[in-house]
Every structure is written in structure tokens, then in C-alpha cells.
Amino acid sequence: MNILSFFRVLFLLLAIVAATFIFPLIVAVVHGETEVIFSFVSPMVFVFLFTVIFFIIDKNRKISLNMRSGFVFVAMAWLSACALGAAPLYISGSFNSISSAFFESVSGFTTTGVTASPDVGKLPVSINFWRCQTQWLGGMGVVGLTVAVFPLLGVGGFQLIKAESSGPEKNKFIPKITVMAKWLWIVYTVMTALQTVLLCVAGMPFLDSVMHSFTTLATGGFSPKSNGIIWYNSPAVEWICSVFMFLAGINFALYYKLLTKQFSDVWQNTELKAFALLCFVASVLVSVPLIISGMSPGDSIRHGIFQVMTSVSSTGYASAMYTNWPAVSQIVIILLMLCGACSGSTTGGIKIIRWVIMGKSLSCELRRMLHPSGIYNVRINGHLLRSDIGNSVMAFVFLYFMLLTVTALVSAATGTDVLTSCTASLTLVGNNGVGFGLVAPDCNYRFFPAWAKWWFSFAMLAGRLELYTVLMFFFPSFWKK
């Protein structure tokens, strides 16, 4: 791909992100936060200016992306979007260092939900709105937004979506990639609007409802309140968020199939069945020990389901101080952080489908040991699984645990305890937001040194882009022709 064309498309994407600054700007004007306005306007003007320059210079060249340039573009797009998102946070003085501002922006766009702010409740309303908006944009993918809005990327659009999306199988479910991206964003937007209305009915202020809908559907977990959902002390709000966290954990392609009446594909979806079963079993395993410990059955079920949904969906909310719960409940929560929800959703983690594939592969191997002459195959959604996908899953899980180990060591090198280091690693690589030890339950990382925050930012980006898109740059073979 020509370098000028590369920057033309890159700044086109950044221009889309910069255009969304208009929403926090409106919030700033309404709330009289005039000192924050320049923080959004200056980077917006900068991006628009360079977008125009590159379009003038390279306006007649046709854009074509192959597999390699697609991966490079997606990685650079996310880095650039995070840098742009950090600009208002730093220029406004809300974060006193570039490392903290960038860490916060990466946490937003990757929908991780950890923060480096001493007290998010004291940040300007417009800055909090932007923090939540970064999660909404990152939930469905900033590259996916570009592909949906600008059909000129149609030639290489699938390569971009493939490099950004989650799960072992990345297939187009309708012929045109731009149509696919638009449908996903329509469903995403409608669900966000519906949750906003329901939260308002439940008594949450309108702006808070918008921000929490942003971060619930994105499974991000940011909140304008320092203690998040706990601050509202509302069972209705918790139930609404629980339902939408579950919905956000489902593969969004299935919503399109529901709209087009492809009910059999939804009913036969192996991952959806496993996800629903996991949520039910985990809710029982978390709630029952709470009842035994003396909590009322109603509160136990409500808090148990909420914490299961926020953990498995990698949202990172908390409805109670779960660090005081029985050990069984806490262990289930930690295991859910490692598990993740469905591929093709806005969630983080390893994803249900990979665990299903590994479980079925293990079953086949055990049966093959008992009956060597038998023929055993893994079936997903009623179809035989290709052997290359099985190999890809094994390699992914190996890389995932390697990154978890290195990130835990980095955290430990700063002087934190074992529990904090291990769960922080699960949180960052899995884009989860649930924390234990020194980062529980507010997931505040402000005490970590700058060098650790840079590594943590890398770990969050690698986890969001499913490892390969980021880690392949470190292999010499990627750069060979």
C-alpha cells in the first residue's frame, strides 16, 4: 500500500473519531465548562487539517489493502485513535502526565475499564462523557466504524474487519462488508438507546444513563461515579445493566440473523448455548454461597447475577464489595474473567467458543485413546471444525497465557502483591475491569509508575486486537517479502 494512501485512510479514520468530539463539546457548553472546550477543539482542528492535506495530495489513487497492510493499518489505527483520545484528557489537565492520559484512553477504546484518575467523580462532566464515549466507539471497533461509513474501503474492508474482530472464525455473514458493518452499528446503537430509556425510567439522570449505556453495551465499565453502579444503590438499575451486559456478550452477527429470520442458525449456535449455560451455572455458584453466608436470597441472587454478568462480559462494574464475599464466589468471578463471552461481541477474554473447541478436542482425544481405530471429529454449530481453526485456537491460548505471565511479572516488579499482580494481568489482557487486591473494586491504577502504565497499555491493546494483530509485528517473518 502506498504510504500516502496509508496516511490518507488513517487520517480519515482519525477524522471520524475527532468528529465525535462534538458530543463532549456540547456537554461542556451546556455545563459551562469553558476551560475544557480548547482541549477538544485543538486536536480536532489538527486532525481535520491533515486529513484535508492528504486527500488533496493523494485524492486520485485507488486504495487497495492486502492481508499484511490490513494488519499494519489496524494496529496503527488503534494506536493513533488512542493517542487522539488522550489529547483532551491531557490538555484539559484532567490527567497530569502523558502516560496516565494515554493509559486512560487505551483503557477506554479497548473497553477495559480501569482508570488512572485519583477521583473520576471530580473530573469535568464533558471529560467523563468523553471517557465513556471512547468505550462505546471501541466496543464495536473504530475500524469497523470507518468501514461502515466509507464504502471506499470496500476493496480491503474485510481484511480490516478480520484484523480487528474477535474469535477464531472471522467470516462475512452477508456479502458486502460495508453493509455488514452498518448493520452491526445499527443494532449496537438501537440497543444503546433502549438501555438509556430504561435507565431513565429506573430513576437515573439522563446524562448518567447515556454514559452508562455507552459503557454497558461496550462492556467497558467506565462510570462518572468513583464507585460506579454502587453509587446509585438501585436494584432496578442493576437488573437493567445485567440484562444488557448479557445481550452485549452475544455475537452481534446473531442479531442480524434474528432480524432476517434465520432462526435455525441462532438456535443451533453452539457458542450461544454454552454462554447461556455458563451464565446460569456461574450465577448459582456465586449466589448460593452468598445465601449461606447470611445475605438475603433476593440480594444474593441480584448481586450474584450482576457480578457474573459483569465478569463474564468483561464489563467491570460492581454492585457490591465482592472482595468480602465467600471464597467460592470470588474464585468463580476470577475464572469468569479468564473465560470471556461470545466471539463477535464487544467483550474481552479468551471467548467461549475457544473453550468449547478445546473441550471437544480433549473429548475426541480421550475417546481416541480408548478406541484407536475410531474416527472422532469436533463439530461446531452442526458442522465439522476445520483442523486449521483448532490449531489456531491452541496457539492463541498459548500466546494469551504468555502475555498474562509477562504482564503479571511487570506488575509484580512494581512491588505489588501476588493477588494484585495476577488479577491485574487478567484484567488488562482480558480487557475486563474486575479487580482484586490493590485494584479492587474500583480498578484504579494511578499508583503504578509510568513505565508500567506503558506496558499495561500495550497489554490492553494486544488483548483487544486478539494478540495476533499486535504480536505478529515482533516476528521477523512478517516483514519479509
Side-chain angles (χ1 to χ4, degrees):
M1 185 179 182
N2 180 272
I3 190 66
L4 289 176
S5 298
F6 182 91
F7 280 105
R8 173 157 68 99
V9 181
L10 181 62
F11 272 93
L12 177 64
L13 181 146
L14 293 178
I16 296 172
V17 175
T20 65
F21 282 0
I22 188 65
F23 300 110
L25 272 173
I26 293 172
V27 173
V29 171
V30 171
H31 286 80
E33 297 172 346
T34 54
E35 71 282 358
V36 179
I37 293 176
F38 177 77
S39 305
F40 289 102
V41 172
S42 54
M44 184 190 297
V45 171
F46 173 84
V47 169
F48 286 167
L49 177 62
F50 275 88
T51 302
V52 171
I53 291 174
F54 279 108
F55 258 85
I56 293 175
I57 296 175
D58 194 58
K59 63 180 179 180
N60 295 323
R61 191 185 302 272
K62 184 180 179 181
I63 298 173
S64 179
L65 292 172
N66 57 26
M67 178 69 74
R68 185 177 304 182
S69 60
F71 277 111
V72 173
F73 175 80
V74 168
M76 288 300 299
W78 277 82
L79 279 171
S80 302
C82 291
L84 176 61
L89 304 179
Y90 180 69
I91 297 172
S92 65
S94 300
F95 293 82
N96 57 10
S97 68
I98 295 176
S99 60
S100 293
F102 186 76
F103 174 88
E104 193 80 10
S105 181
V106 172
S107 178
F109 277 108
T110 60
T111 72
T112 304
V114 297
T115 183
S117 171
D119 188 352
V120 297
K122 295 181 180 179
L123 294 175
V125 179
S126 55
I127 292 296
N128 264 326
F129 190 91
W130 172 241
R131 290 172 65 249
C132 296
Q133 186 177 301
T134 58
Q135 295 203 322
W136 192 78
L137 292 172
M140 193 57 67
V142 292
V143 174
L145 176 60
T146 306
V147 173
V149 175
F150 288 89
L152 65 96
L153 292 180
V155 176
F158 180 57
Q159 304 299 345
L160 300 181
I161 294 293
K162 185 176 181 180
E164 183 182 64
S165 59
S166 63
E169 289 192 277
K170 301 173 172 46
N171 298 321
K172 294 180 282 189
F173 60 89
I174 49 180
K176 290 188 176 181
I177 192 68
T178 53
V179 177
M180 180 187 79
K182 288 176 183 176
W183 267 107
L184 294 179
W185 275 96
I186 289 172
V187 171
Y188 190 52
T189 304
V190 170
M191 291 175 67
T192 304
L194 178 59
Q195 187 187 358
T196 300
V197 172
L198 292 176
L199 287 177
C200 286
V201 172
M204 184 180 287
F206 172 72
L207 200 58
D208 287 11
S209 298
V210 172
M211 287 188 274
H212 283 100
S213 297
F214 279 171
T215 58
T216 302
L217 265 300
T219 61
F222 271 166
S223 172
K225 309 299 182 185
S226 295
N227 52 355
I229 296 296
I230 296 176
W231 189 89
Y232 298 94
N233 192 28
S234 170
V237 167
E238 292 166 17
W239 280 116
I240 291 169
C241 289
S242 294
V243 170
F244 278 92
M245 283 188 287
F246 176 80
L247 295 176
I250 297 173
N251 190 327
F252 273 70
L254 296 181
Y255 291 120
Y256 174 82
K257 292 184 177 183
L258 282 176
L259 292 173
T260 54
K261 300 181 180 180
Q262 301 177 52
F263 302 122
S264 60
D265 288 346
V266 177
W267 179 252
Q268 294 176 1
N269 189 269
T270 303
E271 187 178 30
L272 178 59
K273 294 177 182 178
F275 177 54
L277 179 62
L278 174 67
C279 290
F280 174 77
V281 173
S283 296
V284 173
L285 292 176
V286 172
S287 300
V288 170
L290 292 178
I291 296 174
I292 296 174
S293 68
M295 188 182 293
S296 69
D299 288 343
S300 298
I301 294 172
R302 171 167 56 89
H303 289 305
I305 291 177
F306 183 93
Q307 205 58 49
V308 165
M309 291 303 135
T310 192
S311 300
V312 75
S313 69
S314 74
T315 304
Y317 287 149
S319 63
M321 293 295 292
Y322 54 82
T323 52
N324 298 325
W325 289 0
V328 172
S329 299
Q330 293 188 47
I331 290 174
V332 172
I333 291 171
I334 293 175
L335 292 176
L336 291 174
M337 293 169 63
L338 185 63
C339 186
C342 298
S343 60
S345 66
T346 60
T347 63
I350 291 178
K351 302 294 187 301
I352 296 288
I353 190 62
R354 290 192 176 96
W355 290 110
V356 171
I357 290 172
M358 288 190 294
K360 290 194 171 189
S361 297
L362 175 61
S363 176
C364 287
E365 288 302 317
L366 291 175
R367 285 184 290 170
R368 192 173 289 115
M369 291 176 65
L370 294 173
H371 308 285
S373 59
I375 299 176
Y376 305 100
N377 297 299
V378 175
R379 287 184 174 271
I380 300 295
N381 302 332
H383 304 288
L384 289 177
L385 183 75
R386 302 198 317 265
S387 58
D388 62 312
I389 294 178
N391 295 334
S392 175
V393 167
M394 301 302 176
F396 176 89
V397 174
F398 173 78
L399 283 174
Y400 195 91
F401 277 94
M402 287 295 293
L403 186 58
L404 283 177
T405 301
V406 174
T407 304
L409 289 172
V410 169
S411 178
T414 66
T416 57
D417 59 273
V418 174
L419 179 62
T420 300
S421 298
C422 291
T423 58
S425 177
L426 286 173
T427 294
L428 295 163
V429 178
N431 307 134
N432 198 291
V434 177
F436 285 84
L438 297 179
V439 293
D442 60 352
C443 282
N444 200 304
Y445 284 62
R446 67 183 183 277
F447 62 87
F448 282 102
W451 64 268
K453 290 175 185 173
W454 287 114
W455 174 264
F456 292 162
S457 297
F458 169 80
M460 288 187 284
L461 280 168
R464 174 60 181 83
L465 296 178
E466 296 271 282
L467 304 187
Y468 292 121
T469 303
V470 174
L471 297 182
M472 67 171 51
F473 295 116
F474 296 94
F475 289 88
S477 57
F478 178 80
W479 302 104
K480 294 179 180 179
K481 293 185 178 180

